[in-house]
Amino acid sequence: MTHALRVLRTGALLEARNVITSNFMLFCVFVQPFFIGVTVMFMLRHRPDFDPVYVVVGTALSGIWSAVLFEGNWIIGGERRVGTLELLVASPTPLLLAIGGRLAGSMGFSVSSVALAYVIVAWLFGAPIRLADAPGFALSTLLAVFALWCTGMLLAPLGVLARTISRFVVILEYPVYALSGFLFPILLLPGWTNPISLALPPFWAAQAMHMTSSGEAWALPLAAVWAILLGTGLTALLISVPLFSAVLRRARVAGTLSLT
Amino acid sequence: MQAIELDHVRRIFRTSIGTLRRHTKEVVALDDVSLDVAAGELFGLIGPNGAGKTTTVKILTTLLIPTDGRATVLGHDVVADTRFVRRNVGFLFGGERGLYFRVSGRANLEYFAELYALPPRGIAKRVDELLALVGLSDRGAERVEGYSRGMKQRLHLARTLLHDPPVLFLDEPTIGLDPIGARDLRETIERLRERGKTIVLTTHYMFEADALCGRIAVISGGRIVAGGTPAELKRHVRDLSVVELELFGAPDDLTSRLRAIDGVDSVVVERRELRQVFRVQTADGERAVPRLLGVVGQVDVGRVSVREATLEDAYVRLVGRVE
Ligand SMILES: Nc1ncnc2c1ncn2[C@@H]1O[C@H](COP(=O)(O)OP(=O)(O)OP(=O)(O)O)[C@@H](O)[C@H]1O
Ligand SMILES: [Mg+2]
């Protein structure tokens, strides 16, 4: 157990140092959320029901989600391209842990989207930011990051198993913003999409974070939202376990762990 | 029990060719290969490009599953018991890939130390030791992207040895090293063998195989075509000596004309810009020289020498690849 945690930590630190120099990750975590945040502020700030903290949370989530989606989808292919995938596979540590640590590193880095979103809304637009339930928000953020990490862990083997689909993963970026209600309530969407929303960990992440920051009540109590958030995350993680095995088995049969 | 056993191992790769009308093509990388390596032995695997050396190593390091047959390391099946095998083998694939470029050499090693579950307290010390062993002590803190090719290669060796595995696979470890670096590495390999490690070495440098290996298998087209100690392999060319002719501007058909001469066993050419070196294996030794020069004709002749056959000559004869 402690070994697993050490692998996750070392992998995360290695990856965090790695992504700081990656232009693409900087784009996902800073540039794109910046434009989203600024645009939404211009659109919404004069409306009577405008809530600046809603924009902070939504903008930050968009940054974290982009990081999860792209990193999760590319991470195994990236290791293969660099030539490290074989080294990871041939080590006695399960690949899932190695990949998990790396993904945690880029996610940890992506949480800085929260600070960026705060700066945009509070400093650039001078909107007042108040957290309705600060400790609740902290816990919601923690659970949200964990559940999104689990989602990334599910995307990682899928990125290899469904290679054709994974090439078009970019198109998943915006629908999930919408379906998860990062910036606009899903009530604005057609009713048939609601079941999809309810199955997505990012949706529950957004719910928990919005509820504790804006302080608005919702159909379910906060504790239930947390439980479902954790549940959807763990489900994604559980599904990922056999998928990782399938990836490894297939690669060792087909000889696709390396490029050479 | 042998340290390493391959028992009738076959490995087939399916690759798809063609862009629009795709069809699959089968490549037989290993065709019924059986071999044993004893504990503490330094075993050489030599053979031409595409012979199946790396495939063999990858099967033994659990990276590939054999299509047929069985392979074991220290008595443990490489497919069924991957955990044991992975803990007990270290491997090095020659080349520059397989490192995290944006972080330091030390960070790379520390990460793999965790993956190999080294005791946490000992990691810093172990990494220091290995950086010193491969001569990177004063460069370990720098990012790998600034390393030269040889430095990356040496970092790989350090990674290979991190967990002090009893069985080592070194796939072309000296490729890209400068002569002194390569000699140092050969000494390191020698010392590892003295410490009782079982080592499988693949190389294209015959003198390296000759100097280091206790036993060698020659593999070609996925089959083992010969095996034994370097001395036993050289016995394949015991009766032959080698005449080396250095020529300037030899015509293309000279090889076949030389081969046609009575008593000539094989001819290989090494072509450099203006100079060609013909290596002629013959039982006649220096007595063959006048006949050879007679065929050469009007071409400028440089150095002519006659020497005993080496492992490389044995290899050329066994593999039968003539250019
Ligand atoms: N992943 C793969 N997919 C398809 N074919 C492969 C794969 N790996 C190896 N092969 C094929 O298997 C054969 C043996 O390759 P291998 O890499 O084992 O040769 P080698 O002896 O190591 O050669 P070299 O001296 O060039 O390193 C070659 O024909 C090669 O093209
Ligand atoms: Mg090879």
Side-chain angles (χ1 to χ4, degrees):
Chain A
M1 191 60 204
T2 51
H3 172 237
L5 291 176
R6 291 187 63 89
V7 168
L8 288 174
R9 197 196 62 176
T10 320
L13 290 175
L14 183 90
E15 184 63 9
R17 274 185 275 179
N18 230 331
V19 291
I20 288 176
T21 57
S22 148
N23 291 334
F24 184 72
M25 281 301 281
L26 294 177
F27 177 83
C28 284
V29 173
F30 294 122
V31 181
Q32 183 170 276
F34 176 83
F35 285 111
I36 291 177
V38 170
T39 312
V40 174
M41 280 306 284
F42 274 118
M43 282 163 61
L44 297 185
R45 69 186 157 141
H46 295 305
R47 287 174 54 138
D49 58 348
F50 168 64
D51 178 5
V53 78
Y54 201 91
V55 181
V56 172
V57 168
T59 303
L61 274 169
S62 75
I64 301 174
W65 171 245
S66 301
V68 170
L69 181 68
F70 290 114
E71 181 83 2
N73 186 51
W74 292 118
I75 191 161
I76 295 183
E79 296 282 337
R80 177 167 173 262
R81 235 164 290 127
V82 185
T84 40
L85 184 59
E86 288 191 321
L87 310 185
L88 298 182
V89 171
S91 85
T93 298
L95 181 67
L96 186 138
L97 282 178
I99 295 294
R102 312 286 309 290
L103 194 60
S106 46
M107 280 204 65
F109 174 68
S110 75
V111 173
S112 46
S113 279
V114 178
L116 172 87
Y118 179 82
V119 166
I120 295 170
V121 176
W123 292 2
L124 222 54
F125 288 87
I129 303 287
R130 239 173 293 104
L131 287 175
D133 170 8
F137 180 72
L139 183 58
S140 298
T141 309
L142 208 69
L143 289 175
V145 169
F146 174 73
L148 288 173
W149 174 81
C150 295
T151 312
M153 291 301 283
L154 178 58
L155 290 170
L158 282 177
V160 181
L161 291 173
R163 204 162 285 170
T164 345
I165 300 173
S166 88
R167 287 202 193 123
F168 302 104
V169 77
V170 202
I171 61 166
L172 275 180
E173 196 179 9
Y174 295 101
V176 174
Y177 291 172
L179 286 171
S180 302
F182 285 176
L183 281 156
F184 306 99
I186 62 161
L187 292 176
L188 299 178
L189 297 172
W192 61 265
T193 63
N194 292 2
I196 308 179
S197 297
L198 298 182
L200 296 173
F203 168 78
W204 298 99
Q207 276 310 320
M209 287 174 74
H210 282 315
M211 278 171 86
T212 46
S213 58
S214 303
E216 274 168 45
W218 191 57
L220 289 175
L222 182 60
V225 174
W226 279 345
I228 299 173
L229 172 59
L230 200 59
T232 50
L234 288 173
T235 309
L237 191 60
L238 271 180
I239 300 175
S240 81
V241 175
L243 292 183
F244 265 96
S245 305
V247 165
L248 282 179
R249 185 89 199 168
R250 241 173 72 158
R252 288 164 69 217
V253 169
T256 49
L257 286 170
S258 77
L259 290 175
T260 47
Chain B
M1 181 193 75
Q2 300 283 356
I4 297 167
E5 278 177 73
L6 287 172
D7 187 19
H8 298 288
V9 169
R10 272 169 69 79
R11 170 70 216 203
I12 295 173
F13 288 105
R14 285 187 182 78
T15 48
S16 56
I17 48 180
T19 29
L20 290 178
R21 297 190 54 207
R22 288 199 170 209
H23 48 284
T24 53
K25 180 176 170 261
E26 287 198 348
V27 177
V28 182
L30 292 180
D31 191 3
D32 196 22
V33 168
S34 297
L35 59 85
D36 298 332
V37 179
E41 192 173 13
L42 205 170
F43 189 89
L45 207 51
I46 63 179
N49 295 132
K53 303 179 295 295
T54 301
T55 304
T56 308
V57 169
K58 285 190 177 172
I59 286 175
L60 290 167
T61 49
T62 76
L63 291 170
L64 284 175
I65 293 177
T67 312
D68 258 316
R70 200 175 115 87
T72 61
V73 171
L74 301 174
H76 291 254
D77 189 284
V78 296
V79 180
D81 204 353
T82 51
R83 258 184 102 74
F84 176 90
V85 174
R86 285 172 184 172
R87 267 179 218 283
N88 287 284
V89 307
F91 63 92
L92 168 72
F93 296 127
E96 303 178 58
R97 301 175 73 245
L99 293 164
Y100 296 107
F101 282 10
R102 292 191 179 126
V103 300
S104 68
R106 168 174 281 279
N108 272 273
L109 292 181
E110 284 168 351
Y111 184 47
F112 280 97
E114 296 286 1
L115 291 177
Y116 278 92
L118 261 60
R121 277 169 217 281
I123 289 179
K125 187 163 157 280
R126 181 78 185 138
V127 168
D128 282 336
E129 276 169 23
L130 285 165
L131 285 172
L133 177 80
V134 299
L136 285 176
S137 292
D138 52 339
R139 307 291 300 266
E142 291 169 36
R143 283 196 193 179
V144 172
E145 60 193 357
Y147 284 14
S148 73
R149 182 173 174 164
M151 289 165 70
K152 289 177 193 152
Q153 182 90 0
R154 284 185 273 150
L155 186 60
H156 270 305
L157 179 68
R159 193 216 70 232
T160 305
L161 300 175
L162 267 174
H163 54 302
D164 200 21
V167 179
L168 290 167
F169 296 94
L170 308 175
D171 192 358
E172 300 186 38
T174 53
I175 194 171
L177 293 185
D178 65 47
I180 296 176
R183 198 184 57 197
D184 288 348
L185 178 57
R186 283 193 288 274
E187 274 167 21
T188 306
I189 295 173
E190 188 69 60
R191 253 176 286 138
L192 288 165
R193 191 195 55 80
E194 281 162 14
R195 283 178 41 207
K197 307 274 179 212
T198 306
I199 304 173
V200 173
L201 171 78
T202 83
T203 179
H204 287 297
Y205 306 123
M206 293 306 129
F207 69 94
E208 189 168 283
D210 195 359
L212 289 173
C213 299
R215 269 193 320 140
I216 294 174
V218 183
I219 181 166
S220 178
R223 287 173 166 276
I224 306 247
V225 294
T229 63
E232 281 164 358
L233 287 178
K234 277 184 252 181
R235 238 169 263 154
H236 287 277
V237 283
R238 176 179 48 186
D239 49 327
L240 297 180
S241 34
V242 177
V243 180
E244 281 189 352
L245 300 172
E246 182 186 36
L247 303 178
F248 298 90
D252 287 341
D253 67 337
L254 184 59
T255 320
S256 50
R257 295 209 323 260
L258 287 171
R259 252 181 228 141
I261 297 176
D262 251 3
V264 167
D265 194 77
S266 78
V267 181
V268 238
V269 201
E270 189 183 310
R271 291 180 190 278
R272 303 260 167 79
E273 305 272 306
L274 298 169
R275 190 171 74 101
Q276 299 84 40
V277 177
F278 286 76
R279 293 207 179 86
V280 182
Q281 294 188 357
T282 166
D284 297 346
E286 55 260 10
R287 280 174 292 126
V289 173
R291 260 178 291 153
L292 295 174
L293 289 177
V295 172
V296 164
Q298 291 310 310
V299 180
D300 278 346
V301 179
R303 213 167 45 90
V304 176
S305 62
V306 182
R307 59 170 173 78
E308 299 260 290
T310 63
L311 184 62
E312 180 159 342
D313 301 309
Y315 170 84
V316 169
R317 189 177 215 197
L318 286 164
V319 170
R321 195 183 56 164
V322 275
E323 286 146 310

